[in-house]
Amino acid sequence: MKHTHKPKQTGTIDELTEYRSVERRKLLSTMLLTGTMMAVEVVGGVVTHSLALISDAGHMFTHFFALAVSFGAILFAHKPSCHHRTFGFYRIEILSALFNSLFLFAVSGWILFEGVRRIVHPAPVLGAQMFWIALAGLGVNLISAWILHGANKEDLNVKGAFLHMLADTVSSVAIVIGAVVISLTGWDLIDPVLSVLIAVMIG
């Protein structure tokens, strides 16, 4: 009697579905953290007169966008193309990247202009308040990197988002150090200098 062997694909599909679900949860959690901290840094930058905090918020936006693209890629990864979308959903990603580039170009230009203006005409910065906000931003970056750690080994999109978060940690550390220097020495010039450096990183 001839027995036919059926390959068991259910387990593989279930595992893939579960993995995608975990990825989505991790990316969504990181997006919420990053988006919230981005808003806090904008408000904090205005209140403390810190251009560096506002610059870091712009830098955070680049990572928020990277997370959003990764999240969207997972959502659309298994959607089939149809007769009027023969190339799938790649066009959405291209248009989003174009919008992101134009927005960041405008933000970087404004930060550079304002940074140079403040280097020529320094403005007082509330160093102590700036320190706590910058420290919170650093904490959010570290937590976000921890959330994405592990998943980045399996998925290139998540890996890209993870590397973005690590890069943002560098600027957060610089701002924390800058806030300490301002608090201890009153050297407000370091704030616009940091903002110019961050604007160059964004660009």
Side-chain angles (χ1 to χ4, degrees):
M1 185 177 178
K2 189 177 180 181
H3 295 280
T4 56
H5 179 67
K6 248 187 178 176
K8 295 183 179 178
Q9 297 180 345
T10 308
T12 305
I13 294 174
D14 289 343
E15 286 175 6
L16 180 60
T17 303
E18 183 181 354
Y19 171 70
R20 292 296 184 189
S21 178
V22 171
E23 274 188 322
R24 285 198 299 269
R25 287 199 300 270
K26 287 186 174 184
L27 285 171
L28 188 58
S29 299
T30 309
M31 285 170 63
L32 290 173
L33 281 172
T34 304
T36 301
M37 194 63 230
M38 183 174 63
V40 169
E41 284 195 331
V42 170
V43 175
V46 172
V47 172
T48 62
H49 311 292
S50 171
L51 187 60
L53 283 177
I54 297 176
S55 304
D56 195 50
H59 197 195
M60 270 195 168
F61 179 81
T62 66
H63 308 309
F64 181 84
F65 180 81
L67 291 167
V69 169
S70 299
F71 186 77
I74 290 174
L75 291 181
F76 293 116
H78 299 294
K79 284 186 178 291
S81 58
C82 54
H83 67 281
H84 58 284
R85 288 192 183 94
T86 54
F87 292 97
F89 294 88
Y90 290 115
R91 187 175 298 175
I92 297 175
E93 186 174 341
I94 294 171
L95 291 175
S96 298
L98 176 61
F99 167 78
N100 182 55
S101 299
L102 292 175
F103 177 80
L104 291 178
F105 180 78
V107 170
S108 299
W110 178 81
I111 292 173
L112 283 172
F113 173 80
E114 190 66 19
V116 171
R117 189 182 71 82
R118 290 200 187 187
I119 289 174
V120 177
H121 304 288
V125 178
L126 302 177
Q129 292 85 340
M130 173 186 173
F131 168 78
W132 291 112
I133 297 171
L135 192 64
L138 175 60
V140 165
N141 284 326
L142 291 174
I143 292 171
S144 299
W146 176 76
I147 291 174
L148 294 177
H149 181 66
N152 73 88
K153 296 176 182 177
E154 305 294 335
D155 189 283
L156 290 177
N157 288 310
V158 181
K159 183 177 182 179
F162 173 76
L163 294 175
H164 270 282
M165 299 310 303
L166 288 183
D168 199 37
T169 302
V170 176
S171 64
S172 294
V173 170
I175 295 174
V176 169
I177 295 173
V180 172
V181 172
I182 291 173
S183 298
L184 296 178
T185 67
W187 188 36
D188 297 321
L189 188 64
I190 196 171
D191 182 74
V193 169
L194 285 174
S195 68
V196 168
L197 292 176
I198 293 172
V200 171
M201 287 176 63
I202 295 174

